[in-house]
Amino acid sequence: MVVACLVLSLGPGSLAIAEPQPAAPAQPYCYGEPSTPTADLSDLRAKFNSSNWMATLQAMYQRRWPSGQKLAIAQARDPNWNQFVETGSFEGFAESMMVAIHEETHMWDLDPSRTEWDDHTAAWINASLQMTGIPLYGGFPRREILPLITDDLSKDMDDIYLRDQEQGDYHLQGVTAELNAGLMGLPAVTVVQEYIKGIGASNARDIAATNLRYLLLYLRVAKADHADYWAKIKNEPKLRDLVLTEFLRTAYWLEKSAPYTGILGSPNADKITQQNYSPENISILQEFTGRKVRTDAQKNCTA
């Protein structure tokens, strides 16, 4: 972006035209969103039953994570909730939120009013930010990133999303959709972790770390093997903004959830995250977004 030329009159027959000036560098910023994971829920737990679960869900997140409350309000009439929400106990209910919020994020993001598959998409980020009209320009099958994965840290997900004949054929749409849903499912259980007694949310951190892995590797393969596609997406501001936001957001919620490894994830999540910050991955991220990111303790910030 350049500043428009300004024409100044200096007298009869005399004009001076200001030289175009480059835009000021973008200021550093950090991703964050409100959450109060210690807010009291004892009254909601005491009153919980199978008929008031939606009211409980909205009240629970109003106190602890407003982004979840706002999504629940937006999706309140979706009949698919019943497939995902456990209503037998408050503890089971809290545990089921990883899947429920993950899937309802898909429902919002991929609604036909906001997404045309492989053409453009949307992403519910948080209570105050929802990105829409993000061009995707098609892409290539995400299974093409498999040669860059040389370990078994994400094998369970690799088998589903990359090696499966149908899933492996999904393009950038599939990569961004799963990452965004995972970045809603993780905070959904992070803020209620003390109620989780089973294994229903035990891979929440792994899902976030692995899907970020897929996005970074997808960008690397795009640049290396699909030059025309790389040029298109690298020139798309909305997509660059989405990628940067999701990278910083992943760092933010992985840090917030780190004390609950074991309840919300396996040690592999941190090992994958370490690889996500390899020089090759940070280089492709910064080249694509045009922004430098911090790799110190404040990984949710740009430099």
Side-chain angles (χ1 to χ4, degrees):
M1 179 179 179
V2 295
V3 178
C5 293
L6 177 64
V7 181
L8 300 175
S9 175
L10 301 181
S14 179
L15 290 175
I17 302 178
E19 291 295 323
Q21 299 296 316
Q27 293 298 307
Y29 77 98
C30 300
Y31 180 85
E33 59 181 287
S35 64
T36 311
T38 58
D40 183 32
L41 302 180
S42 59
D43 59 317
L44 299 178
R45 182 176 182 270
K47 297 175 183 177
F48 179 77
N49 59 61
S50 60
S51 62
N52 69 359
W53 64 265
M54 178 55 81
T56 301
L57 190 160
Q58 294 182 19
M60 176 175 76
Y61 286 140
Q62 181 181 28
R63 299 178 192 183
R64 292 201 170 186
W65 180 50
S67 297
Q69 179 206 18
K70 189 168 181 179
L71 177 69
I73 292 172
Q75 292 295 105
R77 295 185 178 182
D78 180 33
N80 294 292
W81 283 101
N82 291 324
Q83 301 179 48
F84 316 124
V85 176
E86 170 60 51
T87 61
S89 69
F90 186 79
E91 287 74 14
F93 168 74
E95 187 173 321
S96 71
M97 287 300 101
M98 187 198 81
V99 173
I101 294 296
H102 179 117
E103 295 300 336
E104 287 299 327
T105 301
H106 278 321
M107 299 298 180
W108 192 92
D109 290 355
L110 304 179
D111 185 278
S113 68
R114 287 178 284 270
T115 288
E116 182 177 334
W117 194 260
D118 282 343
D119 182 79
H120 63 270
T121 195
W124 182 287
I125 304 297
N126 57 46
S128 60
L129 177 61
Q130 297 90 49
M131 297 182 173
T132 59
I134 305 163
L136 297 170
Y137 301 108
F140 53 89
R142 61 186 171 188
R143 68 168 61 92
E144 291 187 26
I145 72 173
L146 270 170
L148 295 180
I149 299 176
T150 58
D151 56 57
D152 291 331
L153 295 175
S154 57
K155 184 179 184 304
D156 288 347
M157 289 182 61
D158 299 344
D159 288 344
I160 296 170
Y161 295 107
L162 304 180
R163 295 188 178 94
D164 177 80
Q165 183 174 359
E166 180 180 356
Q167 289 277 346
D169 198 44
Y170 287 5
H171 296 178
L172 183 58
Q173 174 78 76
V175 176
T176 59
E178 287 301 330
L179 176 56
N180 197 56
L183 289 177
M184 289 293 287
L186 177 56
V189 285
T190 298
V191 300
V192 294
Q193 56 78 29
E194 74 269 35
Y195 296 103
I196 296 174
K197 309 303 181 185
I199 61 170
S202 60
N203 62 344
R205 301 185 78 247
D206 301 69
I207 289 172
T210 299
N211 281 313
L212 181 62
R213 165 186 252 193
Y214 292 169
L215 177 60
L216 295 170
L217 297 184
Y218 197 92
L219 293 176
R220 285 171 58 183
V221 172
K223 181 183 178 184
D225 299 338
H226 302 275
D228 290 345
Y229 183 66
W230 170 254
K232 284 183 180 179
I233 60 175
K234 190 172 180 290
N235 197 42
E236 182 43 63
K238 284 189 174 183
L239 187 54
R240 293 201 307 268
D241 287 348
L242 175 66
V243 169
L244 180 62
T245 298
E246 300 291 57
F247 184 87
L248 301 178
R249 188 177 168 214
T250 304
Y252 180 80
W253 282 113
L254 285 176
E255 189 276 331
K256 291 282 187 183
S257 61
Y260 315 122
T261 295
I263 300 173
L264 303 180
S266 77
N268 284 352
D270 291 330
K271 295 176 183 178
I272 294 167
T273 295
Q274 185 175 13
Q275 294 189 9
N276 287 344
Y277 283 81
S278 71
E280 297 87 354
N281 286 333
I282 294 300
S283 176
I284 200 71
L285 173 80
Q286 295 184 155
E287 180 179 354
F288 183 77
T289 64
R291 299 294 299 270
K292 291 186 176 181
V293 295
R294 294 180 61 164
T295 58
D296 57 6
Q298 290 186 285
K299 290 183 173 65
N300 62 308
C301 301
T302 60

